[in-house]
Amino acid sequence: MTNSGTQHFHEGEKRIFDKRYLQLLQRTTESNIDVVINAAHRVTVNGEEIRDPVMAIDRRMVGLTFRLQLSPGDKLVMEKLATVYTSRDKEFDKPDYQLAKLREVSLQDLKDCVKKGYDALFQSHCRAWEEKVWNKYNLNVDSEDGFDVLALRFALYHLTVMTPAHDERMGIGAKGLSGEGYKGHSFWDTEIFILPFFIFSNPEVARSLLNYRYLGLAGARKKARENGYEGAMYPWEAAWPEDGEVTPVWGAVDIVTGEQTKIWSGFIEQHISADIAFAIYQYYTVTGDREFMERYGYEMVFETAKFWASRLEWNEEKREYHINDVIGPDEYKEHVNNNAFTNYMAHFNIQLAITYYEKLEKENPSRLAELEERLALRKAYEKWKSVIGRIYLPQPREDLVIPQDDTYLSLKTIDLTKYKQSKKVGTLFDDYNLEQVNKMQVSKQADVLILLYLLEQWEKKFSQDVLKANFRYYEPKTLHDSSLSLSTHAILANDIGEYELAYSLFRRAAEIDLGPFPHSSDHGIHAASIGGIWQAAVAGFAGLRLSGGKLRISPRLPKHWRRMEFSIYWKGQPVTVSIDHSALIVKAERNEPFELEVYGKTYTCKDQLTIHIDPKN
């Protein structure tokens, strides 16, 4: 981390103990978090340890210098062990916190590590990866191209390291742990692109990430109040839960006008509230975790639905509710009315709240009464029921294309060839500013298409013809300037039978961080795209996803993938899935029967289910 041009820490005490253990104290300038870094070194030549180094303490530095003479054939080994502790760690973030105790515990941890030694620690590290990642997820692909396996392993690695599974007070940064882009903030990227991996593969971590959103309810309620709405309006960019909205107000300089560009996302890109509700629905449907719902999930769904009900605008002429002046997933279209993604997802959020309210009313009226006392839910429920049938939902036209918003289909078109073929993202802005782009039929990323992908996991499913028509209309107009875009297009291309295009899009998604143009990752890896790599493989090629609340597995593997296998959880039970071009094998590891849909037919898997695949059909 460079933190270029910024001094984030106040220097604290620096110590060297026994000419071996280094300790550096610092305190962050804004949040006043104490950070204690300890380090120890072991230097050997031909197996003999070099002792008595020269100690050095200077501004922002504490260190040891080892001086030695090497001859040809000598073997020099340097080992470095370090521990990092902060006052925000859960075991120390308490009213009786003491810096002295933090220093003592962190230093003792380092001494214990030194006693174990590097080799023992490394072996423990390897065992943890084997048990907690590679064997747990069991994701393997037998491909003629080794890059495919590399891409999926790369995805599993980053999904593991960048997720703060140990602490529900933290979300996933848009650049993971690899860079400073977006200041480490969390976006809708987590719920829509990353969380599905954990929901199906590691539900405990998924729950922790959703708990992070529950802890952010206070900030979401505050944002709703400040904007004149009810309920919870989640921030576009989130950091520490209590911080609320942290999206910067101003961005880059406009290439045409020379003026600084306002970042409207924090004000009018509001679909994130419904995205979080969708993630809760997906988590509950896959896991059946009632305890989470009753403690956290229902409240988040109800509060976001209250926001949407207050956000709706009545159009007297058309006798329906509209949602005006928003930004949808396609951020090249600002200040639009009735963005299809936003309207449908708001409708989904309110309908989900109605469904859950009625479910609680039947199954746990005492919990509903508790929530009623705090949230005035009966009044909210009556409002939801009164508006749900009158929200404007853009329908397919005669050509089956769903309007992205009120004006998109009437905007002018330009030749996008050079921009779609560019090896860099954002080259459109070498020639136009955002105001001009706002008036063209050009999209940054999937908008209507990701809506179609999400809706089929709920209850609303458009026909295959509608999916094909919208894919073929919007994909040529989409520059994929967002790393979120390619994986969604890969999944849908596979759904409509464009198999070679689907693999090509999957490959391009993987090459964002693994390809021949490493500068695309200068500000850090693309965390959501990495979640998308997993989705493109498992939800796309393996065809595993929710379908109307049920589990569906309808594989369509790339021709050069001979075999694919992975493990998931369904209603708490581990399930192993194996696929090749002739058969799908599903194994219920606890022999607990469950239903699944395969190519439109419903089956019951009691222990192991084998379904033969006709490669010609």
Side-chain angles (χ1 to χ4, degrees), residues 17 28 33 124 133 151 204 222 237 355 358 363 423 426 448 454 514 549 606 614:
F17 302 94
T28 63
I33 300 168
S124 174
V133 183
E204 290 182 9
K222 179 174 181 285
E237 297 186 27
T355 301
E358 294 171 352
E363 298 179 0
K423 302 300 183 184
V448 170
L454 296 181
L514 279 176
K606 298 179 180 178
D614 180 359

mmCIF file of all heavy atoms in Angstrom, residues 17 28 33 124 133 151 204 222 237 355 358 363 423 426 448 454 514 549 606 614:
data_model
loop_
_atom_site.group_PDB
_atom_site.id
_atom_site.type_symbol
_atom_site.label_atom_id
_atom_site.label_comp_id
_atom_site.label_asym_id
_atom_site.label_seq_id
_atom_site.Cartn_x
_atom_site.Cartn_y
_atom_site.Cartn_z
ATOM 1 N N PHE A 17 13.343 -5.508 21.455
ATOM 2 C CA PHE A 17 13.494 -6.335 22.651
ATOM 3 C C PHE A 17 14.497 -7.457 22.365
ATOM 4 O O PHE A 17 14.370 -8.189 21.379
ATOM 5 C CB PHE A 17 12.145 -6.942 23.054
ATOM 6 C CG PHE A 17 11.067 -5.928 23.332
ATOM 7 C CD1 PHE A 17 10.183 -5.553 22.323
ATOM 8 C CD2 PHE A 17 10.945 -5.345 24.585
ATOM 9 C CE1 PHE A 17 9.184 -4.621 22.572
ATOM 10 C CE2 PHE A 17 9.950 -4.412 24.838
ATOM 11 C CZ PHE A 17 9.066 -4.045 23.829
ATOM 12 N N THR A 28 -3.995 5.742 13.749
ATOM 13 C CA THR A 28 -4.562 6.385 12.569
ATOM 14 C C THR A 28 -5.031 7.789 12.908
ATOM 15 O O THR A 28 -5.504 8.060 14.010
ATOM 16 C CB THR A 28 -5.732 5.564 12.006
ATOM 17 O OG1 THR A 28 -6.778 5.493 12.970
ATOM 18 C CG2 THR A 28 -5.281 4.170 11.639
ATOM 19 N N ILE A 33 -7.268 4.588 15.606
ATOM 20 C CA ILE A 33 -7.082 3.152 15.794
ATOM 21 C C ILE A 33 -5.603 2.893 16.063
ATOM 22 O O ILE A 33 -4.742 3.327 15.300
ATOM 23 C CB ILE A 33 -7.523 2.370 14.549
ATOM 24 C CG1 ILE A 33 -8.999 2.631 14.255
ATOM 25 C CG2 ILE A 33 -7.261 0.875 14.717
ATOM 26 C CD1 ILE A 33 -9.444 2.128 12.898
ATOM 27 N N SER A 124 1.407 -25.548 8.626
ATOM 28 C CA SER A 124 0.073 -25.290 9.181
ATOM 29 C C SER A 124 -0.763 -24.470 8.208
ATOM 30 O O SER A 124 -1.964 -24.724 8.017
ATOM 31 C CB SER A 124 0.211 -24.547 10.515
ATOM 32 O OG SER A 124 -1.047 -24.163 11.010
ATOM 33 N N VAL A 133 -10.238 -24.610 2.011
ATOM 34 C CA VAL A 133 -10.504 -24.035 0.688
ATOM 35 C C VAL A 133 -10.569 -25.116 -0.377
ATOM 36 O O VAL A 133 -11.633 -25.476 -0.859
ATOM 37 C CB VAL A 133 -9.443 -22.967 0.324
ATOM 38 C CG1 VAL A 133 -9.777 -22.322 -1.020
ATOM 39 C CG2 VAL A 133 -9.365 -21.905 1.414
ATOM 40 N N ALA A 151 -7.787 -19.865 -13.748
ATOM 41 C CA ALA A 151 -8.725 -18.776 -13.485
ATOM 42 C C ALA A 151 -9.629 -19.098 -12.301
ATOM 43 O O ALA A 151 -9.884 -18.250 -11.438
ATOM 44 C CB ALA A 151 -9.569 -18.496 -14.727
ATOM 45 N N GLU A 204 -21.759 -19.931 6.269
ATOM 46 C CA GLU A 204 -21.383 -19.184 7.474
ATOM 47 C C GLU A 204 -20.761 -17.838 7.116
ATOM 48 O O GLU A 204 -21.034 -16.824 7.762
ATOM 49 C CB GLU A 204 -20.403 -20.003 8.313
ATOM 50 C CG GLU A 204 -21.030 -21.217 8.973
ATOM 51 C CD GLU A 204 -20.038 -21.974 9.826
ATOM 52 O OE1 GLU A 204 -18.908 -21.462 10.048
ATOM 53 O OE2 GLU A 204 -20.362 -23.087 10.280
ATOM 54 N N LYS A 222 -30.513 6.589 8.529
ATOM 55 C CA LYS A 222 -30.122 8.000 8.562
ATOM 56 C C LYS A 222 -30.124 8.585 7.156
ATOM 57 O O LYS A 222 -30.618 9.698 6.930
ATOM 58 C CB LYS A 222 -28.737 8.119 9.182
ATOM 59 C CG LYS A 222 -28.171 9.537 9.262
ATOM 60 C CD LYS A 222 -26.854 9.529 10.040
ATOM 61 C CE LYS A 222 -26.265 10.929 10.157
ATOM 62 N NZ LYS A 222 -25.666 11.385 8.899
ATOM 63 N N GLU A 237 -21.740 3.506 -1.309
ATOM 64 C CA GLU A 237 -20.440 3.024 -0.854
ATOM 65 C C GLU A 237 -20.475 2.952 0.660
ATOM 66 O O GLU A 237 -20.873 3.904 1.329
ATOM 67 C CB GLU A 237 -19.303 3.953 -1.308
ATOM 68 C CG GLU A 237 -19.146 4.030 -2.822
ATOM 69 C CD GLU A 237 -17.925 4.846 -3.247
ATOM 70 O OE1 GLU A 237 -16.948 4.919 -2.469
ATOM 71 O OE2 GLU A 237 -17.948 5.415 -4.355
ATOM 72 N N THR A 355 -44.622 -10.984 1.304
ATOM 73 C CA THR A 355 -44.544 -12.437 1.474
ATOM 74 C C THR A 355 -44.014 -12.798 2.850
ATOM 75 O O THR A 355 -44.566 -13.680 3.535
ATOM 76 C CB THR A 355 -43.624 -13.039 0.386
ATOM 77 O OG1 THR A 355 -44.153 -12.718 -0.907
ATOM 78 C CG2 THR A 355 -43.511 -14.548 0.547
ATOM 79 N N GLU A 358 -46.531 -11.958 5.755
ATOM 80 C CA GLU A 358 -47.600 -12.949 5.861
ATOM 81 C C GLU A 358 -47.069 -14.279 6.379
ATOM 82 O O GLU A 358 -47.764 -14.998 7.110
ATOM 83 C CB GLU A 358 -48.272 -13.117 4.502
ATOM 84 C CG GLU A 358 -49.017 -11.844 4.069
ATOM 85 C CD GLU A 358 -49.519 -11.894 2.641
ATOM 86 O OE1 GLU A 358 -49.162 -12.854 1.911
ATOM 87 O OE2 GLU A 358 -50.261 -10.964 2.238
ATOM 88 N N GLU A 363 -46.422 -18.122 11.008
ATOM 89 C CA GLU A 363 -45.468 -19.032 11.634
ATOM 90 C C GLU A 363 -44.880 -18.533 12.942
ATOM 91 O O GLU A 363 -44.498 -19.330 13.791
ATOM 92 C CB GLU A 363 -44.329 -19.333 10.645
ATOM 93 C CG GLU A 363 -44.787 -20.033 9.373
ATOM 94 C CD GLU A 363 -43.644 -20.285 8.410
ATOM 95 O OE1 GLU A 363 -42.488 -19.912 8.729
ATOM 96 O OE2 GLU A 363 -43.896 -20.851 7.326
ATOM 97 N N LYS A 423 -8.366 -2.343 -26.155
ATOM 98 C CA LYS A 423 -7.810 -3.158 -25.083
ATOM 99 C C LYS A 423 -7.917 -2.465 -23.729
ATOM 100 O O LYS A 423 -7.664 -3.074 -22.694
ATOM 101 C CB LYS A 423 -6.334 -3.477 -25.364
ATOM 102 C CG LYS A 423 -6.098 -4.216 -26.691
ATOM 103 C CD LYS A 423 -6.817 -5.546 -26.733
ATOM 104 C CE LYS A 423 -6.520 -6.306 -28.014
ATOM 105 N NZ LYS A 423 -7.288 -7.564 -28.120
ATOM 106 N N GLY A 426 -12.917 2.517 -20.944
ATOM 107 C CA GLY A 426 -13.142 3.955 -20.835
ATOM 108 C C GLY A 426 -12.644 4.781 -21.988
ATOM 109 O O GLY A 426 -12.579 6.009 -21.890
ATOM 110 N N VAL A 448 -30.473 -4.277 -18.177
ATOM 111 C CA VAL A 448 -31.646 -5.124 -18.385
ATOM 112 C C VAL A 448 -31.257 -6.597 -18.295
ATOM 113 O O VAL A 448 -32.004 -7.429 -17.757
ATOM 114 C CB VAL A 448 -32.303 -4.813 -19.743
ATOM 115 C CG1 VAL A 448 -33.382 -5.850 -20.072
ATOM 116 C CG2 VAL A 448 -32.909 -3.419 -19.731
ATOM 117 N N LEU A 454 -31.508 -12.111 -12.582
ATOM 118 C CA LEU A 454 -31.947 -12.148 -11.193
ATOM 119 C C LEU A 454 -33.415 -12.534 -11.063
ATOM 120 O O LEU A 454 -33.784 -13.301 -10.167
ATOM 121 C CB LEU A 454 -31.714 -10.790 -10.524
ATOM 122 C CG LEU A 454 -30.263 -10.318 -10.398
ATOM 123 C CD1 LEU A 454 -30.195 -8.974 -9.692
ATOM 124 C CD2 LEU A 454 -29.396 -11.339 -9.682
ATOM 125 N N LEU A 514 -5.919 -11.552 -15.017
ATOM 126 C CA LEU A 514 -4.937 -12.593 -15.339
ATOM 127 C C LEU A 514 -4.417 -12.493 -16.763
ATOM 128 O O LEU A 514 -3.642 -13.335 -17.190
ATOM 129 C CB LEU A 514 -5.574 -13.981 -15.163
ATOM 130 C CG LEU A 514 -5.651 -14.535 -13.746
ATOM 131 C CD1 LEU A 514 -6.399 -15.864 -13.756
ATOM 132 C CD2 LEU A 514 -4.273 -14.718 -13.143
ATOM 133 N N GLY A 549 -37.335 -20.297 -6.502
ATOM 134 C CA GLY A 549 -37.168 -20.779 -5.139
ATOM 135 C C GLY A 549 -36.668 -22.208 -5.032
ATOM 136 O O GLY A 549 -36.434 -22.695 -3.929
ATOM 137 N N LYS A 606 -32.278 -38.587 -3.408
ATOM 138 C CA LYS A 606 -32.334 -39.168 -2.063
ATOM 139 C C LYS A 606 -30.939 -39.484 -1.528
ATOM 140 O O LYS A 606 -30.671 -39.319 -0.353
ATOM 141 C CB LYS A 606 -33.188 -40.434 -2.077
ATOM 142 C CG LYS A 606 -34.636 -40.177 -2.474
ATOM 143 C CD LYS A 606 -35.430 -41.473 -2.506
ATOM 144 C CE LYS A 606 -36.880 -41.208 -2.908
ATOM 145 N NZ LYS A 606 -37.672 -42.464 -2.984
ATOM 146 N N ASP A 614 -27.920 -36.015 -23.286
ATOM 147 C CA ASP A 614 -27.746 -36.256 -24.716
ATOM 148 C C ASP A 614 -26.917 -35.115 -25.284
ATOM 149 O O ASP A 614 -27.402 -33.993 -25.401
ATOM 150 C CB ASP A 614 -29.107 -36.320 -25.412
ATOM 151 C CG ASP A 614 -28.974 -36.568 -26.919
ATOM 152 O OD1 ASP A 614 -27.826 -36.672 -27.396
ATOM 153 O OD2 ASP A 614 -30.016 -36.639 -27.596
#
